[in-house]
Every structure is written in structure tokens, then in C-alpha cells.
Amino acid sequence: MLSDQIATLPMFRCLSSDQLAALEPLIEIIPLSTQQVIFNQDQQADYIYILLSGEVIIQYKPYDGPVMVVARIQPGGIFGWSAALGRKTYTSAAVVTACGEACRISGEDLQHYCDEYREAGSVLLDCLASVIAERLRSTHEQVRSILRHGMELDGEMVRRIYHDGK
């Protein structure tokens, strides 16, 4: 039964069995194949995903630079939360690196669930906020590392140019 499978996920652990039963019809399980693009950056944000098995990377492409891997999603991890935030498009892309399964919920359905089951919705949104906050902290560190590495490389190039120019 799906409820048994999702009840163990961090996002749903705090919900009662009745609350999970009400949420279950909104959840769809999808298979994931290696190299599958689940969604692209700037694509319409329809679903929020919870990885059940496998691995997914989140990629961000700034307009003036190369694609960066900003997160590696492991089982239990949440991605595509632009849909839950009410954003029109995804801010990053999601690509499968190890086949598996994910469950997905439409952002619109999640909103309706939270409106109809206010107490459960509040608990669910608190859990989602915690997951998002943790991911943002992790992403911040990864971006900082990339920037630091880039500055070190640029600094080395400046030193070489200056040294070779003398």
C-alpha cells in the first residue's frame, strides 16, 4: 500500500494515518531512468517530487556561465518545490543519475489539500519548509565553494599573466 511506503518519508512522518489516507490519491509514483530529464530550468512548475529510490541531480544554468550541479537528491529528498511555492517555472533542472522511483504531487493538488485539511496542511508545510531550508543551506555552501574555486583560478591566471608579462 502506498501509505505504508510514504509514511516513512521525512516529509510525511508527522502526518496521521487518516491524513496520509487523504493525501494518498494525490500522489503518483513514477519510474525514473538514468539520464532522464524530469524537468528543465524555466519549464512550467507543475509537480513537487519526493525521491523514493535512485539519485537525481539538480542543475542550475546562470545566463552567463556553465551549468552547475547545486544538489544531489538521495532517497527521501524533495525537489521541484517551485511548484509548492506557487512559482510559474522551475528555477533549476532535475536529471536522473541513478534509476529509481519518485512520487510526485501537483502543486495545485497540494494547495487544495492544505486548504481542505488545515491542520495536516500546516504540519506538511512546516516539514516542507524545513527540507527546503536545509537544501538552501547546502546549496549556499556548494555555490560558495564553486565561487571560491573560480576566484582561485582567476587569481592564478592573473598572477601568470602578470609574471609572464614582466
Side-chain angles (χ1 to χ4, degrees), residues 21 35 43 55 67 71 93 103 108 115 132 144 154 165:
Q35 299 304 314
Q43 180 180 327
E55 183 185 66
V67 173
C103 59
E108 195 173 295
D115 289 344
I132 291 170
R144 184 175 179 209
D154 287 348

Side-chain angles (χ1 to χ4, degrees), residues 70-124:
V70 295
R72 289 193 178 277
I73 308 299
Q74 301 298 320
I78 300 170
F79 60 101
W81 34 269
S82 292
L85 297 174
R87 293 186 177 152
K88 291 189 185 294
T89 60
Y90 293 111
T91 57
S92 301
V95 180
V96 179
T97 55
C99 64
E101 285 186 321
C103 59
R104 70 181 187 182
I105 307 168
S106 138
E108 195 173 295
D109 286 346
L110 184 60
Q111 177 65 46
H112 291 304
Y113 176 85
C114 291
D115 289 344
E116 188 172 339
Y117 303 94
R118 294 216 180 261
E119 184 180 327
S122 178
V123 170
L124 192 58

